[in-house]
Amino acid sequence: MKLLKEKIEREGRVLSENVLKVDSFLNHQIDPVLMQAIGEEFAARFKDAGITKILTIESSGIAPSMFAGLTLGVPVVFARKRKSLTLSDNLFSSKVHSFTKDVTNDISVSKDFLSNEDVVLIIDDFLANGQAALGLLDIVGQANAQTAGVGIVIEKGFQTGGSIIRERGVRVESLANIKSLVNGKVEFFEEEPTV
Amino acid sequence: MKLLKEKIEREGRVLSENVLKVDSFLNHQIDPVLMQAIGEEFAARFKDAGITKILTIESSGIAPSMFAGLTLGVPVVFARKRKSLTLSDNLFSSKVHSFTKDVTNDISVSKDFLSNEDVVLIIDDFLANGQAALGLLDIVGQANAQTAGVGIVIEKGFQTGGSIIRERGVRVESLANIKSLVNGKVEFFEEEPTV
């Protein structure tokens, strides 16, 4: 997605060979115009997949998911990273390790909002080691729902998450796929064709 | 806001005299159509306030803020509840106690995204004891930015937060203001006039 790649090149900060910081438009400050374009792009790519629900994870997955949900006409559910006292025990849950923050979180989704009749589009901001996506896929599986695919804003294609998910036969659509962050420079894989 | 009140009456669950659960459209599953209407309502109410930035707090403030930001043409910044390892020390921060979850969080905003030139609209999902709003006001103050007001999706008007904030001279716009949750029934205050 050209608009997104240009934004990454202009505002992304390469902190190491593994870390790209995009706090100015995605992970802390959020650009609503870009999020709308991203959400509409996810919606376009999955428009024939019969999506009934979008599943994401707090917090940075919420903004792009909102616009995808609006365009597809379906609700968005965000998995919580900690069990809230106001949520009941009526939960699907899975464990997700964040290598960036070096913590393992329980992520959970109420059984009220995911069922075996759902066709789910999973959306997240980053795909690196794939831990969050695997946790969300696990939750979709617990609900006996169907996964239509995974929509990722920025894939770090030099890490293993994308391969792990695709090898399971899950369709992954990344709007920007990073080949390398070596020498402080962002290099992208060629754009994958829009399906 | 009629649409919101009807949704609360239809889907809100009164768990006690103090707790209203709106997990089906705001706090866990999110209704993008309603969020768009809410965001546009905030934008309409604050359209002449010269807003340059929306400040909210993860996670449930993000969705309504996105649509307000899109309509007003300004970026959204969400305060984080824990310091992330990928954020630097370049932070404004404040302490916020959540009575619902009985935890005190550090909330923080990077100094890169809030300055003394900003006119800030604070948006949050709930206003009850006012702790989150006070923390966000504190952060706006640390940045020497100006607060245009506070936009709240659901105010629990029988708790003290609204009074505390308004007594400071801060404009508070609540789209639904709850008078009572007694006997399992949601009773609203009369709609405040749109300014």
Side-chain angles (χ1 to χ4, degrees):
Chain A
M1 187 183 173
K2 192 160 173 281
L3 189 68
L4 172 63
K5 288 182 180 178
E6 288 171 354
K7 188 85 163 179
I8 293 169
E9 284 171 341
R10 212 162 46 239
E11 298 189 18
R13 286 194 286 154
V14 179
L15 299 190
S16 74
E17 292 188 1
N18 289 314
V19 179
L20 171 70
K21 196 167 166 177
V22 289
D23 269 6
S24 72
F25 61 88
L26 181 59
N27 294 131
H28 186 22
Q29 178 167 262
I30 314 177
D31 177 343
V33 176
L34 181 63
M35 290 307 120
Q36 183 181 43
I38 285 170
E40 289 175 353
E41 178 70 22
F42 284 136
R45 293 193 188 195
F46 286 95
K47 69 180 190 304
D48 298 321
I51 309 291
T52 64
K53 198 151 285 193
I54 291 171
L55 177 62
T56 187
I57 183 166
E58 60 183 353
S59 291
S60 295
I62 294 173
S65 295
M66 287 316 299
F67 293 105
L70 186 69
T71 308
L72 289 168
V74 301
V76 173
V77 176
F78 66 91
R80 293 180 172 280
K81 282 183 182 158
R82 286 171 300 182
K83 288 172 190 172
S84 158
L85 298 183
T86 56
L87 274 179
S88 70
D89 292 332
N90 183 39
L91 298 171
F92 301 117
S93 65
S94 190
K95 289 203 181 297
V96 171
H97 184 74
S98 164
F99 289 92
T100 321
K101 300 184 184 178
D102 195 25
V103 291
T104 298
N105 287 114
D106 280 324
I107 67 167
S108 57
V109 171
S110 165
K111 292 182 180 175
D112 291 342
F113 304 124
L114 210 53
S115 83
N116 60 7
E117 294 181 352
D118 279 315
V119 180
V120 179
L121 170 57
I122 292 170
I123 288 182
D124 205 5
D125 58 338
F126 269 93
L127 176 62
N129 298 288
Q131 297 300 301
L134 287 168
L136 294 171
L137 284 165
D138 180 22
I139 282 174
V140 174
Q142 289 175 40
N144 292 313
Q146 194 183 321
T147 301
V150 177
I152 296 293
V153 181
I154 303 175
E155 177 173 349
K156 295 197 278 188
F158 57 89
Q159 291 183 261
T160 55
S163 308
I164 293 167
I165 309 288
R166 287 181 181 96
E167 277 164 16
R168 292 182 167 210
V170 176
R171 178 179 168 194
V172 179
E173 294 281 340
S174 299
L175 304 191
N177 195 344
I178 294 173
K179 193 174 180 176
S180 158
L181 294 172
V182 171
N183 295 327
K185 195 174 149 17
V186 182
E187 194 184 341
F188 295 102
F189 284 104
E190 292 295 305
E191 185 96 37
E192 294 173 36
T194 300
V195 181
Chain B
M1 187 182 174
K2 191 159 173 283
L3 189 68
L4 172 62
K5 288 181 178 178
E6 288 171 354
K7 188 83 164 180
I8 293 168
E9 284 170 341
R10 212 163 46 237
E11 298 190 16
R13 286 193 287 154
V14 179
L15 299 191
S16 74
E17 291 189 1
N18 289 313
V19 178
L20 171 69
K21 196 166 167 177
V22 288
D23 269 6
S24 73
F25 63 87
L26 180 59
N27 294 132
H28 185 24
Q29 179 166 262
I30 314 177
D31 177 343
V33 176
L34 180 64
M35 291 305 120
Q36 183 181 42
I38 285 170
E40 289 175 354
E41 178 70 22
F42 284 136
R45 294 194 187 195
F46 286 95
K47 70 179 188 304
D48 297 322
I51 309 291
T52 64
K53 200 151 281 191
I54 291 171
L55 178 63
T56 187
I57 184 166
E58 59 183 355
S59 293
S60 296
I62 294 174
S65 296
M66 287 317 299
F67 292 106
L70 186 70
T71 307
L72 289 169
V74 301
V76 173
V77 176
F78 66 90
R80 292 179 171 281
K81 281 183 184 158
R82 286 170 302 181
K83 289 171 190 171
S84 157
L85 297 184
T86 56
L87 275 179
S88 70
D89 292 332
N90 183 39
L91 299 171
F92 302 117
S93 64
S94 190
K95 289 203 181 298
V96 171
H97 184 74
S98 164
F99 289 93
T100 321
K101 300 183 182 178
D102 196 24
V103 291
T104 299
N105 286 115
D106 280 324
I107 66 167
S108 57
V109 172
S110 166
K111 292 183 180 176
D112 292 341
F113 304 124
L114 211 51
S115 83
N116 60 6
E117 295 182 352
D118 279 317
V119 180
V120 179
L121 170 59
I122 292 170
I123 288 182
D124 206 4
D125 56 340
F126 269 94
L127 176 61
N129 298 289
Q131 297 300 300
L134 288 169
L136 294 171
L137 284 165
D138 180 22
I139 282 174
V140 175
Q142 290 175 39
N144 291 313
Q146 195 184 320
T147 301
V150 176
I152 296 294
V153 180
I154 303 175
E155 178 173 349
K156 294 198 279 187
F158 58 89
Q159 291 182 261
T160 55
S163 308
I164 292 168
I165 309 289
R166 289 182 181 95
E167 277 164 15
R168 293 184 167 208
V170 175
R171 177 179 169 195
V172 179
E173 294 280 340
S174 299
L175 304 189
N177 194 346
I178 295 173
K179 193 173 182 176
S180 159
L181 293 172
V182 171
N183 295 328
K185 196 176 149 14
V186 181
E187 193 185 342
F188 295 102
F189 283 104
E190 292 295 303
E191 185 96 37
E192 294 172 34
T194 299
V195 180

